[in-house]
Amino acid sequence: MSAGVLFDAPGPRTKVRHRIYGVLALVALVALVGVVAKRLYDYGQFEYSLWEYFVTPDYLRVIFSALLDTLAMAVFAIVLAVVFGVLFGIGKLSDHVWVRWPCWLVVEFFRAVPVLLMMIFFFFWFSIGGGPLTPFWVVVVSLTLYNGSVLAEVVRAGINAVPRGQAEAAYAIGMRKTQVMTHVQLPQGVKMMLPALISQMVVALKDTSLGYYITAPGLTYAYKIISTEGRNHIPTAIVVTALYIAVNLLLTWLATVVQKKLVGEKKILDVPAAGAAGDASSGAKVG
Amino acid sequence: MRFTTTKAFVLCAGLGLALTACGEAGNSGGGDVDVDVAKDAASSFADGSRMKELAEDGKITIGVKFDQPGIGFKGATDDQPQGFDPEVGRILAASLGIESDKIVWKETISDNREPFLQAGEVDIVIASYSITDERRKVVGQAGPYYVTGQQLLVAKDSSISTLADVKGKEVCSVTGSTSLDNIKKEGAVPRGFDTYSECVDQVVDGAVDAMTTDGAILMGYAAEQPDALKVAVDPFSEERYGVGYSKDHPEMCQWIVDALKKSQDDGVWAKAFEATLGKSGVETPTPPSADACS
Amino acid sequence: MDAVFSNFDEYLKAFSLTIALFVVSGIGALVFGTILASFRVGPVPLLRGFASLYVTLVRNTPLLMIFVLFAIGGVRIGWNFKFVEDIEVFGWNASAFFVRSCIALTVYTSAFVCEALRSGVNSVDLGQAEAARAIGLPFMKVMTLVVLPQAFRAVIGPMTSVIVALIKNTSVAAAFGMAEATATMRIFTNNNADERLGIFLMFAIGYVVIVEVVAFSSYALERKMKVAR
């Protein structure tokens, strides 16, 4: 429902009142920005020496390679999570109790446990315990399990959203269960899943930041080393945050373009809530 | 995988470019102290010993801290870590005939020092590594090369002067560290962060009343910001810093002890201290004598 | 497991801090998120723009960076909320650390609350709002009497996702001086490396229990309040 329905086309008096509201809002927002800016200025946060790092090639290289680390972690995690999600999503739809039940348990568990808790555990178990994983891969594995479990739910909902008649028709022409899944239900379900997949990509990219707590590389690690050296926490945090936002917006935009090309208009899937991602509703528009 | 190749390319390009001068990035040379590198060191060690292998390879991997000024610190763009621990590392490497640019420095955090040694990720660990009986069960620890104790770092104008003053105050240290447990027992409210540096910022910005860990580490921070911070309270524990090595190579102990002894006798140890921890204005202490190797 | 059972009071204390963070930030985020949502569908263009900008920025920022900005950045420029330590509510007194963590969680979660509410408002039938306006109700009344009560029902599902995410997001406070469940797990693991699997399971189960309790009660609520369409 559009906002336009909620109120009448404003008459002259209302127009004046809205304009007053607008002016008040403007004053309040300008005051807010002003107070923050003045505060930053008073505490010397605009000193060139604090920002100099971000125009120094050496430090830009540090930030750039950290950005690549962050992207690499997110890409690995998402690709693996899609695989995990398809396997477990189909597993949850299985006709065999001994498949369905463990899949359900795994998915429920990894959706309810904080990613950071998982990371710390894998870090202690597989990384510093002389294990095979570097902190980089600890982040990837943790994010795979978590996002994979969320996507499993998305896959299940996506497949269920394919009209029943499709599967019935496939059975009618003599296809087996597996064939019905791979030839009919999955390809059509994928289209429904795309919006949720896009928002999950952003979630995964944001969660790579938690590697901060387990010495993994990435943008937050760059924040840590640069701000430790330059004691310029606020400028560094602003730069790093801006990079995250830029990359996420770019990612969302790209994914939306791809999706429009493949599918056309969005259909919003209704994915059950328990342990859902840090995202309000799968496929809600950004902005 | 495209990312890794791009990344390798970027890094290579980065290394290829000359280091651009910047405001105040740390020097990118070796240590601050000249150490005489032993000539033909390999021949002085027994056949089959780990030291001979290292000397013949001409390469050694040393685990140090990267985030503790004075002890072991490496800026984002530095090639080599600075601090007392890396200096000790250079002294040990020199006794094997290894130049400081042939040392591979690896960052260790408190949690992974033993695993790194056990897995052979590093040859030795010099990372504010206190000698304890528990640790000596799983790894070898030679030394001590330096003795310090747990103290407090407070704001310049703080009223905290004795240990009893911390009761009910918020004190910061690294999550899971023994320092934090100790201070909790003194009745302080523990505030765990990920690194000591974050704790220092919390003290400077007035979010916590004090931070606590070994005095040596605190001195490094106090030296960095002498106008804002001071070290308070006499040491209330004894931390003896040792050099960690793998139990697989027990012969390393005697070599470490001998090399440390030599550096203490010819004044290199004192020079290393003055160039690093000594900058905070602390008197150079009398070097401790190392435990006998069993 | 022994490590947990022999320090069970520590375990409970850690989870009670997790729950306290969750409850306080949850209330904060519901209030602030509702204000944002009313800006977003309201008649003042500037406020619409502001709310939409806020949501876009915050949704695309990692929670960890928001924590950095408030728990480290804010303190750096003298906004440390120390004054709350002198305020007592029912003999309960919050530390500045707790308040800063709650602010970071509230700022982050509000954006998602706003989006969940907006999707709820969008699900309300057009005719409802039209009818409300036809009987001459002004915008505020249309919202409070007709649209929002229905939107709230439609919103329970998406809102549950947001709330569950918040429960898990409290763990990020572990990196900023809060000894909540995740930080406590790290301490336990540090002291008892040989029992890490048992310790992890105990703490993971703690979170699972909280999450499932919230999720199931919300399902029950949803079934009870389903809007007939």
Side-chain angles (χ1 to χ4, degrees), chain A residues 1 3-8 18 21-22 25-26 29 35-36 39-40 43 45 108-109 111-114 116-118 120-121 123-125 146 202 206 209-210 212-213 220 223 231 233-234 237-238 240-241 244-245 248-249 252 272-281 284-287, chain C residues 40-44 46-47 50 52 56-57 59-62 64-65 68-69 72-73 76-79 108 112 115-116 121-122 124 126 129-130 133 139 142-143 147 157-158 160-162 164-165 168 171-172 174-175 182 185-186 189-190 196-197 200 203-204 207-208 211-212 215 219:
Chain A
M1 160 172 108
V5 180
L6 296 176
F7 35 85
D8 285 318
H18 285 179
Y21 288 152
L26 185 69
L29 289 179
V35 165
V36 173
R39 195 81 181 185
L40 287 170
Y43 280 77
Q45 295 302 316
E108 257 333 272
F109 179 80
R111 277 167 75 200
V113 175
L116 188 61
L117 195 81
M118 265 193 263
I120 295 169
F121 169 68
F123 179 62
F124 274 92
W125 203 14
Y146 169 62
V202 172
K206 286 196 307 188
S209 66
L210 297 174
Y212 175 85
Y213 203 49
T220 36
Y223 156 78
R231 268 182 253 124
H233 297 73
I234 294 179
I238 290 171
V240 166
T241 304
Y244 272 114
I245 292 173
N248 278 328
L249 288 178
T252 311
D279 214 14
S281 57
K285 279 198 277 298
V286 172
Chain C
R40 273 205 77 162
V41 297
V44 183
L46 187 74
L47 289 177
F50 164 75
S52 133
T56 306
L57 289 181
R59 277 186 64 166
N60 288 299
T61 305
L64 190 101
M65 290 319 292
V68 164
L69 288 170
I72 293 174
R76 169 66 44 96
I77 56 174
W79 282 331
Y108 183 76
F112 297 99
E115 284 309 274
V121 170
N122 286 344
V124 177
L126 268 181
E130 281 169 349
R133 280 182 32 226
F139 172 71
V142 174
M143 288 304 278
V147 177
T160 307
S161 308
V162 175
V164 165
K168 294 185 298 176
S171 63
V172 177
T182 299
M185 182 192 91
R186 191 170 185 155
T189 315
N190 242 325
R196 52 188 166 226
L197 183 59
F200 168 70
F203 279 90
Y207 278 106
V208 172
V211 166
E212 295 303 334
Y219 284 148

Side-chain angles (χ1 to χ4, degrees), chain A residues 53 69 128 212 224 229 233, chain B residues 7 24 76 115 194 198 201:
Chain A
Y53 293 85
D69 280 323
I128 65 176
Y212 175 85
K224 195 189 283 192
E229 188 176 350
H233 297 73
Chain B
K7 207 178 122 186
E24 44 86 77
D194 196 23
E198 283 170 295
D201 294 320

Side-chain angles (χ1 to χ4, degrees), chain A residues 52-53 56-62 64-69 71-72 75-76 123-124 127-131 136 211-215 217 221-231 233, chain B residues 1 3-4 6-7 10-11 13-15 17-26 66-67 73-78 107 109 111-112 115-116 119 121 175 193-195 197-198 201 224-225:
Chain A
E52 189 178 23
Y53 293 85
T56 308
D58 278 353
Y59 287 90
L60 286 177
R61 260 197 295 278
V62 169
F64 184 66
S65 86
L67 177 62
L68 290 179
D69 280 323
L71 285 171
V75 167
F76 280 123
F123 179 62
F124 274 92
S127 181
I128 65 176
F136 178 99
Y212 175 85
Y213 203 49
I214 58 162
T215 68
Y221 180 74
Y223 156 78
K224 195 189 283 192
I225 54 178
I226 292 174
S227 65
T228 302
E229 188 176 350
R231 268 182 253 124
H233 297 73
Chain B
M1 181 77 217
F3 277 112
T4 38
T6 331
K7 207 178 122 186
V10 169
L11 286 177
L15 294 173
L17 288 168
L19 293 167
T20 347
C22 153
E24 44 86 77
F66 278 9
D67 65 342
F73 179 79
K74 181 172 168 293
T77 59
D78 296 349
E107 179 175 17
I109 57 171
D111 297 327
N112 65 11
F116 266 24
E121 292 250 353
T175 308
F193 273 75
D194 196 23
T195 59
S197 322
E198 283 170 295
D201 294 320
E224 267 203 326
Q225 305 184 63

Side-chain angles (χ1 to χ4, degrees), chain C residues 13-91:
Chain C
K13 225 162 69 188
F15 269 108
S16 55
L17 183 56
T18 291
I19 291 170
L21 280 167
F22 160 59
V23 170
V24 175
S25 329
I27 293 168
L30 284 176
V31 171
F32 191 48
T34 308
I35 295 171
L36 276 175
S38 64
F39 283 175
R40 273 205 77 162
V41 297
V44 183
L46 187 74
L47 289 177
R48 276 210 295 270
F50 164 75
S52 133
L53 181 72
Y54 178 95
V55 169
T56 306
L57 289 181
V58 171
R59 277 186 64 166
N60 288 299
T61 305
L63 175 59
L64 190 101
M65 290 319 292
I66 291 183
F67 260 95
V68 164
L69 288 170
F70 282 90
I72 293 174
V75 170
R76 169 66 44 96
I77 56 174
W79 282 331
N80 56 17
F81 300 96
K82 275 272 187 221
F83 63 87
V84 299
E85 301 191 348
D86 309 327
I87 304 169
E88 250 188 48
V89 186
F90 311 118

Side-chain angles (χ1 to χ4, degrees), chain A residues 111 272-274, chain C residues 156 160 214-224:
Chain A
R111 277 167 75 200
Chain C
I156 291 173
T160 307
V214 169
F216 278 109
S217 37
S218 103
Y219 284 148
L221 193 67
E222 200 174 9
R223 268 200 303 275
K224 238 172 89 168

